[in-house]
Amino acid sequence: MKYEIRYKPSFSLLVVTLNPGESITAEAGAMTYMHPSITVSTRKREKSLLGSLGLSLLGGQSFFVTDYTAGNEAGDAAFSAAPLGDVDTLQIGPGKGYIIQKASYLAAERGVDLDMKWEGFTKGLFGQGLLMIRVSGEGTLFINTFGAIDKHVLKPGEKMIVDNFHLVAFSDTCQYRVTKFGGLKETLLSGEGLVTEITGPGEIYIQTKNVRELADMIWSIIEPRVQAKSR
Protein backbone atom coordinates (compact mmCIF):
# COMPACT_ATOMS: atom_id res chain seq x y z
CA MET A 1 0.00 0.00 0.00
CA LYS A 2 1.34 3.40 -1.01
CA TYR A 3 0.41 6.62 0.78
CA GLU A 4 1.17 10.33 0.68
CA ILE A 5 0.52 13.00 3.30
CA ARG A 6 -0.22 16.27 1.50
CA TYR A 7 -0.44 19.90 2.65
CA LYS A 8 1.50 19.43 5.92
CA PRO A 9 1.48 20.67 8.59
CA SER A 10 -1.69 22.73 8.99
CA PHE A 11 -4.11 21.23 6.47
CA SER A 12 -2.81 17.67 6.17
CA LEU A 13 -4.58 15.17 3.92
CA LEU A 14 -3.79 11.45 3.83
CA VAL A 15 -4.01 9.96 0.31
CA VAL A 16 -3.77 6.17 0.08
CA THR A 17 -3.35 4.21 -3.15
CA LEU A 18 -4.96 0.78 -2.88
CA ASN A 19 -4.05 -1.97 -5.32
CA PRO A 20 -6.72 -4.55 -6.24
CA GLY A 21 -7.70 -6.44 -3.10
CA GLU A 22 -5.87 -4.11 -0.71
CA SER A 23 -7.78 -2.39 2.07
CA ILE A 24 -7.39 0.17 4.81
CA THR A 25 -9.52 0.83 7.88
CA ALA A 26 -10.34 4.45 8.76
CA GLU A 27 -12.36 6.38 11.29
CA ALA A 28 -16.00 6.60 10.14
CA GLY A 29 -16.59 9.97 8.52
CA ALA A 30 -12.91 10.66 7.78
CA MET A 31 -13.15 9.98 4.02
CA THR A 32 -12.66 13.06 1.81
CA TYR A 33 -12.80 11.40 -1.61
CA MET A 34 -12.24 7.99 -3.17
CA HIS A 35 -12.07 6.15 -6.49
CA PRO A 36 -15.39 4.50 -7.54
CA SER A 37 -13.74 1.06 -7.68
CA ILE A 38 -13.33 1.09 -3.89
CA THR A 39 -16.03 -0.54 -1.79
CA VAL A 40 -16.83 0.54 1.77
CA SER A 41 -18.21 -1.21 4.83
CA THR A 42 -18.82 0.51 8.18
CA ARG A 43 -18.71 -1.48 11.40
CA LYS A 44 -18.44 -1.04 15.13
CA ARG A 45 -15.06 -1.77 16.65
CA GLU A 46 -16.62 -3.58 19.63
CA LYS A 47 -17.10 -7.25 18.84
CA SER A 48 -19.60 -8.06 21.57
CA LEU A 49 -22.55 -6.65 23.46
CA LEU A 50 -20.46 -6.71 26.63
CA GLY A 51 -17.89 -4.47 25.00
CA SER A 52 -20.56 -1.99 23.93
CA LEU A 53 -22.06 -1.95 27.42
CA GLY A 54 -18.64 -1.35 28.89
CA LEU A 55 -18.14 1.69 26.69
CA SER A 56 -21.55 3.09 27.63
CA LEU A 57 -20.61 2.86 31.29
CA LEU A 58 -17.41 4.75 30.55
CA GLY A 59 -19.23 7.68 29.03
CA GLY A 60 -21.26 6.39 26.11
CA GLN A 61 -18.51 6.71 23.54
CA SER A 62 -18.87 4.45 20.54
CA PHE A 63 -16.24 3.85 17.91
CA PHE A 64 -17.22 3.10 14.32
CA VAL A 65 -14.70 2.45 11.56
CA THR A 66 -15.00 1.97 7.81
CA ASP A 67 -13.13 -0.58 5.71
CA TYR A 68 -12.09 0.61 2.25
CA THR A 69 -11.22 -2.17 -0.22
CA ALA A 70 -10.07 -1.79 -3.84
CA GLY A 71 -11.90 -3.91 -6.39
CA ASN A 72 -10.59 -4.98 -9.79
CA GLU A 73 -8.51 -1.86 -10.29
CA ALA A 74 -6.32 0.36 -8.14
CA GLY A 75 -7.74 3.56 -6.72
CA ASP A 76 -7.03 6.41 -4.32
CA ALA A 77 -8.84 7.19 -1.09
CA ALA A 78 -8.20 10.37 0.91
CA PHE A 79 -8.81 10.94 4.61
CA SER A 80 -8.85 13.92 6.94
CA ALA A 81 -10.51 14.34 10.33
CA ALA A 82 -9.11 17.16 12.47
CA PRO A 83 -10.42 20.69 11.74
CA LEU A 84 -6.91 22.12 11.36
CA GLY A 85 -3.85 20.03 11.95
CA ASP A 86 -1.28 17.50 10.96
CA VAL A 87 -1.22 13.83 9.96
CA ASP A 88 1.62 11.50 10.87
CA THR A 89 2.41 7.79 11.01
CA LEU A 90 3.27 5.39 13.81
CA GLN A 91 4.87 2.07 12.94
CA ILE A 92 3.35 -0.71 15.04
CA GLY A 93 5.19 -3.98 15.55
CA PRO A 94 6.17 -6.64 18.10
CA GLY A 95 7.18 -4.84 21.29
CA LYS A 96 6.32 -1.46 19.78
CA GLY A 97 2.77 -0.48 20.63
CA TYR A 98 1.17 2.80 21.63
CA ILE A 99 -1.58 4.30 23.76
CA ILE A 100 -3.46 6.84 21.63
CA GLN A 101 -6.35 9.23 22.16
CA LYS A 102 -9.47 8.02 20.34
CA ALA A 103 -9.88 11.37 18.59
CA SER A 104 -6.35 11.06 17.17
CA TYR A 105 -7.08 7.84 15.27
CA LEU A 106 -7.39 8.41 11.52
CA ALA A 107 -6.67 5.11 9.75
CA ALA A 108 -4.63 1.93 9.95
CA GLU A 109 -3.55 -1.09 7.98
CA ARG A 110 -5.47 -4.30 8.64
CA GLY A 111 -2.69 -5.78 10.80
CA VAL A 112 -3.07 -3.05 13.43
CA ASP A 113 -5.26 -3.96 16.41
CA LEU A 114 -7.19 -1.27 18.31
CA ASP A 115 -8.18 -2.41 21.79
CA MET A 116 -11.26 -0.44 22.79
CA LYS A 117 -11.93 -2.58 25.84
CA TRP A 118 -8.68 -1.60 27.52
CA GLU A 119 -9.58 0.26 30.72
CA GLY A 120 -6.13 1.17 31.96
CA PHE A 121 -6.57 4.87 31.28
CA THR A 122 -10.26 5.60 31.78
CA LYS A 123 -10.53 5.79 35.56
CA GLY A 124 -8.81 9.16 35.70
CA LEU A 125 -10.69 10.68 32.78
CA PHE A 126 -14.35 10.71 33.85
CA GLY A 127 -16.02 13.96 32.80
CA GLN A 128 -13.28 15.02 30.35
CA GLY A 129 -14.65 13.26 27.29
CA LEU A 130 -11.40 11.44 26.54
CA LEU A 131 -10.94 7.79 25.67
CA MET A 132 -7.56 6.16 25.15
CA ILE A 133 -6.99 3.12 22.93
CA ARG A 134 -4.23 0.53 23.22
CA VAL A 135 -2.69 -0.15 19.81
CA SER A 136 -0.76 -3.32 19.01
CA GLY A 137 -0.22 -5.73 16.12
CA GLU A 138 1.84 -4.90 13.05
CA GLY A 139 1.50 -2.25 10.37
CA THR A 140 1.15 1.50 9.85
CA LEU A 141 -1.13 3.60 12.04
CA PHE A 142 -2.12 7.08 10.85
CA ILE A 143 -2.86 9.71 13.48
CA ASN A 144 -4.27 13.21 13.09
CA THR A 145 -3.87 16.10 15.48
CA PHE A 146 -5.45 19.47 16.17
CA GLY A 147 -2.52 21.76 15.48
CA ALA A 148 1.03 20.60 14.86
CA ILE A 149 2.62 17.43 16.25
CA ASP A 150 5.28 17.92 18.92
CA LYS A 151 7.30 14.70 19.42
CA HIS A 152 9.44 13.92 22.46
CA VAL A 153 11.65 10.91 23.21
CA LEU A 154 12.04 10.11 26.91
CA LYS A 155 15.06 8.28 28.30
CA PRO A 156 14.55 5.61 31.00
CA GLY A 157 13.29 7.35 34.13
CA GLU A 158 12.79 10.70 32.40
CA LYS A 159 9.41 12.32 33.12
CA MET A 160 7.05 14.74 31.38
CA ILE A 161 3.68 16.17 32.46
CA VAL A 162 1.16 16.65 29.63
CA ASP A 163 -2.28 18.25 29.64
CA ASN A 164 -4.77 15.51 28.76
CA PHE A 165 -6.35 17.53 25.94
CA HIS A 166 -2.94 17.97 24.32
CA LEU A 167 -1.91 14.34 24.72
CA VAL A 168 -2.07 12.41 21.41
CA ALA A 169 -0.11 9.20 21.98
CA PHE A 170 2.74 7.62 23.90
CA SER A 171 4.66 4.35 23.72
CA ASP A 172 3.24 1.47 25.74
CA THR A 173 6.74 1.05 27.21
CA CYS A 174 6.10 4.23 29.22
CA GLN A 175 4.64 4.32 32.71
CA TYR A 176 1.92 6.90 33.35
CA ARG A 177 -0.06 8.46 36.17
CA VAL A 178 -3.20 10.59 35.71
CA THR A 179 -3.39 13.34 38.30
CA LYS A 180 -4.84 16.78 39.02
CA PHE A 181 -2.90 19.83 37.94
CA GLY A 182 -1.30 21.13 41.15
CA GLY A 183 -3.65 21.52 44.11
CA LEU A 184 -7.41 22.08 44.10
CA LYS A 185 -7.00 25.84 43.62
CA GLU A 186 -4.73 25.38 40.61
CA THR A 187 -7.08 22.78 39.12
CA LEU A 188 -10.11 25.07 39.42
CA LEU A 189 -8.46 28.32 38.37
CA SER A 190 -5.88 27.27 35.82
CA GLY A 191 -8.30 25.57 33.45
CA GLU A 192 -5.89 22.65 33.09
CA GLY A 193 -7.99 20.02 34.92
CA LEU A 194 -6.27 16.64 34.70
CA VAL A 195 -2.77 15.98 33.44
CA THR A 196 -0.77 12.83 32.79
CA GLU A 197 2.71 12.28 34.20
CA ILE A 198 4.55 10.01 31.76
CA THR A 199 7.82 8.25 32.57
CA GLY A 200 10.15 6.87 29.90
CA PRO A 201 11.55 5.12 28.08
CA GLY A 202 9.41 5.83 25.04
CA GLU A 203 7.95 8.41 22.69
CA ILE A 204 5.29 11.05 23.40
CA TYR A 205 3.23 12.80 20.72
CA ILE A 206 1.60 16.10 21.73
CA GLN A 207 -0.76 18.35 19.76
CA THR A 208 -0.08 22.07 20.01
CA LYS A 209 -3.78 23.02 20.15
CA ASN A 210 -6.88 21.45 21.68
CA VAL A 211 -10.55 21.47 20.77
CA ARG A 212 -11.67 22.55 24.24
CA GLU A 213 -9.82 25.86 23.91
CA LEU A 214 -11.35 26.40 20.46
CA ALA A 215 -14.84 25.69 21.82
CA ASP A 216 -14.29 28.13 24.71
CA MET A 217 -13.12 30.83 22.30
CA ILE A 218 -16.13 30.36 20.00
CA TRP A 219 -18.52 30.36 22.96
CA SER A 220 -17.04 33.63 24.29
CA ILE A 221 -17.95 35.23 20.94
CA ILE A 222 -21.47 33.84 20.54
CA GLU A 223 -22.56 33.81 24.20
CA PRO A 224 -23.59 37.51 24.27
CA ARG A 225 -25.79 36.97 21.20
CA VAL A 226 -27.36 33.84 22.66
CA GLN A 227 -28.13 35.64 25.91
CA ALA A 228 -29.56 38.62 24.03
CA LYS A 229 -31.93 36.42 22.00
CA SER A 230 -33.08 34.55 25.10
CA ARG A 231 -34.33 37.69 26.79
Side-chain angles (χ1 to χ4, degrees):
M1 184 187 72
K2 297 181 180 179
Y3 68 86
E4 178 186 5
I5 300 175
R6 301 175 182 173
Y7 317 121
K8 289 172 71 69
S10 299
F11 304 97
S12 296
L13 178 72
L14 170 65
V15 181
V16 177
T17 300
L18 298 176
N19 292 317
E22 284 188 329
S23 65
I24 188 172
T25 301
E27 179 190 24
M31 193 273 291
T32 303
Y33 66 83
M34 69 178 191
H35 192 272
S37 67
I38 296 175
T39 60
V40 299
S41 176
T42 300
R43 57 188 169 87
K44 205 169 188 178
R45 280 296 310 187
E46 301 81 64
K47 298 179 181 179
S48 69
L49 177 61
L50 180 60
S52 300
L53 290 175
L55 284 179
S56 66
L57 292 174
L58 295 172
Q61 301 195 53
S62 60
F63 188 36
F64 289 89
V65 294
T66 300
D67 298 319
Y68 297 82
T69 305
N72 295 327
E73 57 181 305
D76 289 347
F79 306 95
S80 177
L84 293 172
D86 207 352
V87 172
D88 209 340
T89 61
L90 299 178
Q91 296 302 320
I92 312 300
K96 189 174 176 61
Y98 289 88
I99 311 300
I100 70 168
Q101 187 186 145
K102 170 182 172 288
S104 299
Y105 170 76
L106 179 61
E109 291 183 304
R110 279 294 186 92
V112 176
D113 180 56
L114 307 176
D115 185 0
M116 287 292 295
K117 298 179 183 178
W118 178 67
E119 298 181 8
F121 208 88
T122 52
K123 293 181 181 178
L125 298 178
F126 284 116
Q128 291 220 16
L130 295 179
L131 182 63
M132 305 299 285
I133 305 170
R134 180 183 286 276
V135 183
S136 58
E138 190 166 2
T140 302
L141 171 73
F142 299 93
I143 57 173
N144 67 170
T145 61
F146 186 41
I149 296 175
D150 188 26
K151 177 183 176 181
H152 299 262
V153 179
L154 299 184
K155 299 176 182 178
E158 187 177 2
K159 298 179 183 292
M160 177 174 287
I161 296 174
V162 185
D163 178 273
N164 284 346
F165 282 94
H166 285 271
L167 181 58
V168 173
F170 59 91
S171 302
D172 61 5
T173 54
C174 294
Q175 301 295 315
Y176 67 89
R177 182 171 67 95
V178 180
T179 183
K180 294 179 180 179
F181 182 71
L184 178 60
K185 181 179 179 181
E186 287 80 6
T187 300
L188 294 175
L189 299 181
S190 69
E192 295 294 333
L194 297 176
V195 296
T196 300
E197 180 184 272
I198 303 173
T199 304
E203 302 171 350
I204 302 177
Y205 291 80
I206 299 170
Q207 58 187 10
T208 58
K209 303 295 181 181
N210 76 63
V211 175
R212 180 186 62 178
E213 292 174 351
L214 175 63
D216 289 344
M217 182 189 70
I218 294 174
W219 178 247
S220 68
I221 297 173
I222 67 174
E223 182 181 16
R225 298 184 181 183
V226 173
Q227 292 179 343
K229 290 183 178 181
S230 65
R231 293 172 185 169

